[in-house]
Amino acid sequence: MDVGEDHPPPLVLINPRILERSDELETAEEGCLSIPEIFGDVERPLRVLVEALDAQGKVFRADVTGYKARAVQHEIDHLDGVLFLDHLSAVKRALLVAKWKKARKGKKGHTKEVTPEPAGEL
Ligand SMILES: [Zn+2]
């Protein structure tokens, strides 16, 4: 992770897990390189305490706040199969996905709807 802050980049977090989350929440706009060109406001804890292995395999803890805490949570969500869209309301998510599909139609990375094969015919 490289958010352009004080920690020498990149911040390497191997098998990270969040040990503590602040009660104080913050809402900020997020986007994602996995689903470019769409953005949404996501509420997350302002501060997290994360434990991980560093690039040398040594356990360390990082107490992060603000934008760095947001990035840590966003990236750990990816490891759990969660996108920032999953933190939005169903209506907001559907609107953004529709916008993304429209913007990406015909381009590389376009989402093509397919009908699943009936069971037993694979
Ligand atoms: Zn992402």
Side-chain angles (χ1 to χ4, degrees), residues 31-34 74-75 78:
C32 181
L33 295 174
S34 300
H74 179 110
E75 299 306 332
H78 275 296

Side-chain angles (χ1 to χ4, degrees), residues 74-94:
H74 179 110
E75 299 306 332
I76 291 175
D77 272 357
H78 275 296
L79 297 175
D80 296 331
V82 174
L83 293 173
F84 81 88
L85 293 174
D86 297 311
H87 291 283
L88 307 177
S89 71
V91 171
K92 182 70 176 169
R93 182 170 50 247

Side-chain angles (χ1 to χ4, degrees), residues 35-99:
I35 39 173
E37 301 167 27
I38 60 172
F39 304 90
D41 288 337
V42 178
E43 183 179 68
R44 295 187 185 272
L46 181 63
R47 176 194 146 266
V48 292
L49 176 64
V50 63
E51 183 176 85
L53 302 178
D54 65 16
Q56 286 69 47
K58 186 178 169 207
V59 175
F60 75 104
R61 289 181 178 184
D63 193 340
V64 292
T65 59
Y67 185 63
K68 190 180 286 185
R70 178 167 299 277
V72 164
Q73 294 171 83
H74 179 110
E75 299 306 332
I76 291 175
D77 272 357
H78 275 296
L79 297 175
D80 296 331
V82 174
L83 293 173
F84 81 88
L85 293 174
D86 297 311
H87 291 283
L88 307 177
S89 71
V91 171
K92 182 70 176 169
R93 182 170 50 247
L95 283 171
L96 287 174
V97 169
K99 179 183 173 188

